[in-house]
Amino acid sequence: MIPSIRQKFNDSFSQEKYDAMIAEFHHEFPNQLDFRVAETPVFVPKELKIKLLHACNDIIDVLLKPDFKEKTNRAIPANQNVPNEDKHPSFLAIDFAVCKDENGDLTPQLIELQGFPSLFGYQWYLGQKYRKFFYDPKNFTQYFNRLSFASYIDEMKKVLLAGENAENVILLEIYPEKQKTRLDFEISRQLWGIEPVCLTKIKKVGKKIFYEKGGRTIEIKRIYNRLIFDDLLQNFPNLETNFKMTDEIEAKWITHPNWFFRISKFTLPLLKSNFVPQSFFLSDLKEYPADLENYVLKPLFSFAGSGVKLHFTKDDLDAISDKENYLIQRKVKYEPIIEDKVGNLIKTEIRMLFIWEDDALRPKLVTNLARLSRGEMIGVNFNKNFDWVGGSCAFFED
């Protein structure tokens, strides 16, 4: 996106340097890296940075409207409604495709948003590795709001621990040692002392919950929730546990599970911005757009792109019995703008990552995540056997 920076990076790149970086991942965290790391970060010019910030503010303004909860109550499945929901999520992730507008200028277009945490530990780690092994231009940073790699740790600690002892705060998952994101869990443990704990290992007594560590039974006071209901119900439908996520407990959720549903694909039709493609709940349409080929079909309640259809017909829509659980969104055209060593062009998506302290009026942008793709969609299944694709981070021009 910045030709001079891209040229310098590519000139300095070698497969040996990339292999050395990946080897360091494996040395420092044996058997933890379970997804592809892209060969390059994304270098974002000021003009695109300003548009991304504007787009995020447009979206956050909608989340802050007094009637937002009322409009999103239906998003929470009745059997997955968790008690003691708070007034806003603790984390927010907003995904944008990098596209071009009608004038040929780079512009972000919203793909998805989540009231749910992301790889806050891993991205801190990855950014440092890119800077260590490859060309590191001045006046570029992966952080926002004047944060550095050190002050970022402190900001995250305030949200995650909020003054509690680290041993009383857990990262909740189902079989965390088997998750593809387990490297992030381990980095989070090292940075903030938060133990990854499986749902099956939690014991409930009254409204208090506990886990065991080093032969001790420890009360859980804060839950850094990384467990997605959809994953639990689809992959472990008959799992019996002492503690169920819908139980009323004294521990505080970070983020409360209800926000995963409220701030999700369900939110897309509520948003109006130049940076948000037009979206419609399928159940609200009296007639379909004539140009269905320009839309993507998305189930409201799915994760990691499952169930998304890029190509469908009117008959396909008519065959859907639960139309209230689907939406169509106008397709965006990812612009291939990142050039690899041999001149191939690659598409990118940038996820803006926010934290939201309990008493803060607005969420605070802290860092980002990027993904590179050669396939029709962003994601592992569309990028098999390619290089210069996978997880990355963006460095923004200061």
Side-chain angles (χ1 to χ4, degrees):
M1 286 188 268
I2 305 175
S4 61
I5 299 295
R6 174 51 53 196
Q7 189 63 52
K8 288 178 181 178
F9 180 91
N10 287 5
D11 288 346
S12 72
F13 177 87
S14 70
Q15 187 63 41
E16 291 74 19
K17 288 181 182 178
Y18 175 77
D19 291 343
M21 181 178 77
I22 299 303
E24 189 158 294
F25 277 61
H26 290 300
H27 173 71
E28 293 177 348
F29 295 98
N31 303 312
Q32 299 297 304
L33 181 63
D34 197 14
F35 47 82
R36 194 174 197 285
V37 181
E39 280 79 348
T40 179
V42 178
F43 299 106
V44 179
K46 282 183 181 178
E47 295 80 4
L48 181 57
K49 175 183 177 180
I50 291 169
K51 291 178 182 177
L52 280 162
L53 296 177
H54 187 178
C56 288
N57 282 328
D58 285 350
I59 293 164
I60 291 167
D61 285 344
V62 173
L63 305 184
L64 290 171
K65 287 186 176 180
D67 61 350
F68 180 75
K69 275 197 172 185
E70 180 184 348
K71 288 184 175 179
T72 57
N73 281 335
R74 187 176 69 81
I76 306 169
N79 65 336
Q80 298 173 45
N81 199 327
V82 176
N84 301 323
E85 180 183 327
D86 43 12
K87 60 185 177 181
H88 61 68
S90 306
F91 301 99
L92 178 65
I94 309 180
D95 295 354
F96 295 96
V98 177
C99 308
K100 281 189 175 179
D101 62 19
E102 60 275 9
N103 299 317
D105 298 322
L106 294 178
T107 188
Q109 288 291 299
L110 179 69
I111 298 300
E112 204 159 329
L113 67 168
Q114 299 173 337
F116 195 77
S118 190
L119 304 178
F120 283 95
Y122 171 73
Q123 291 304 122
W124 172 88
Y125 178 80
L126 175 62
Q128 293 176 78
K129 296 305 177 187
Y130 278 135
R131 289 190 178 279
K132 176 179 177 179
F133 284 91
F134 301 113
Y135 171 63
D136 180 17
K138 294 182 179 179
N139 301 319
F140 281 79
T141 178
Q142 73 186 94
Y143 303 107
F144 301 91
N145 287 298
R146 300 183 180 179
L147 294 178
S148 65
F149 79 95
S151 60
Y152 170 78
I153 295 174
D154 293 334
E155 285 293 301
M156 287 294 298
K157 183 178 180 179
K158 287 193 293 185
V159 174
L160 291 169
L161 303 188
E164 292 287 355
N165 293 325
E167 69 173 10
N168 298 116
V169 184
I170 66 156
L171 185 156
L172 180 66
E173 248 291 9
I174 183 70
Y175 306 120
E177 71 281 2
K178 298 179 181 179
Q179 296 293 331
K180 285 187 174 295
T181 50
R182 63 185 179 271
L183 174 54
D184 177 71
F185 302 165
E186 179 57 25
I187 294 171
S188 297
R189 187 185 67 79
Q190 293 195 13
L191 289 178
W192 301 296
I194 300 174
E195 195 73 26
V197 177
C198 181
L199 179 68
T200 62
K201 301 296 184 182
I202 294 178
K203 304 300 180 186
K204 180 172 174 283
V205 180
K207 292 185 179 181
K208 294 183 182 295
I209 55 175
F210 303 85
Y211 75 108
E212 290 189 1
K213 180 181 178 182
R216 296 187 301 132
T217 298
I218 301 170
E219 183 180 354
I220 300 166
K221 296 184 179 180
R222 294 173 70 82
I223 306 169
Y224 180 31
N225 183 42
R226 302 294 292 272
L227 177 54
I228 295 169
F229 260 120
D230 190 58
D231 181 29
L232 184 64
L233 296 177
Q234 285 196 22
N235 296 314
F236 309 97
N238 300 314
L239 186 69
E240 291 292 332
T241 59
N242 177 258
F243 164 59
K244 296 177 174 56
M245 290 181 68
T246 51
D247 288 344
E248 185 164 358
I249 54 174
E250 292 179 1
K252 178 174 173 57
W253 292 95
I254 339 161
T255 280
H256 192 284
N258 290 359
W259 287 105
F260 175 79
F261 298 107
R262 290 190 186 278
I263 301 177
S264 64
K265 289 185 285 288
F266 192 93
T267 316
L268 295 174
L270 307 179
L271 304 173
K272 302 291 183 274
S273 167
N274 291 334
F275 306 109
V276 177
Q278 200 170 33
S279 302
F280 304 96
F281 292 117
L282 204 54
S283 56
D284 287 350
L285 291 174
K286 295 180 180 178
E287 59 182 79
Y288 304 135
D291 59 337
L292 281 179
E293 69 277 6
N294 292 321
Y295 286 82
V296 58
L297 175 66
K298 295 182 176 183
L300 295 180
F301 309 115
S302 68
F303 182 64
S306 63
V308 173
K309 288 188 177 181
L310 294 176
H311 310 290
F312 57 90
T313 66
K314 177 181 178 296
D315 290 341
D316 292 328
L317 299 184
D318 286 340
I320 296 174
S321 58
D322 57 336
K323 290 182 173 57
E324 69 278 4
N325 292 324
Y326 286 81
L327 63 78
I328 57 171
Q329 179 183 20
R330 182 165 282 279
K331 289 179 181 176
V332 301
K333 182 183 178 183
Y334 288 77
E335 189 67 27
I337 48 166
I338 297 174
E339 187 174 351
D340 69 8
K341 283 280 287 187
V342 296
N344 296 314
L345 292 177
I346 301 156
K347 296 174 279 192
T348 186
E349 187 172 291
I350 297 173
R351 174 176 293 178
M352 307 290 269
L353 296 176
F354 295 78
I355 60 175
W356 202 338
E357 293 188 72
D358 286 348
D359 296 328
L361 297 178
R362 296 178 74 89
K364 182 176 184 177
L365 181 60
V366 291
T367 191
N368 74 88
L369 176 156
R371 294 186 290 180
L372 275 58
S373 174
R374 298 181 191 270
E376 191 173 26
M377 286 177 64
I378 301 282
V380 174
N381 292 337
F382 296 88
N383 288 279
K384 291 178 179 177
N385 304 317
F386 289 137
D387 59 3
W388 287 64
V389 298
S392 180
C393 76
F395 291 111
F396 288 76
E397 190 174 12
D398 222 352

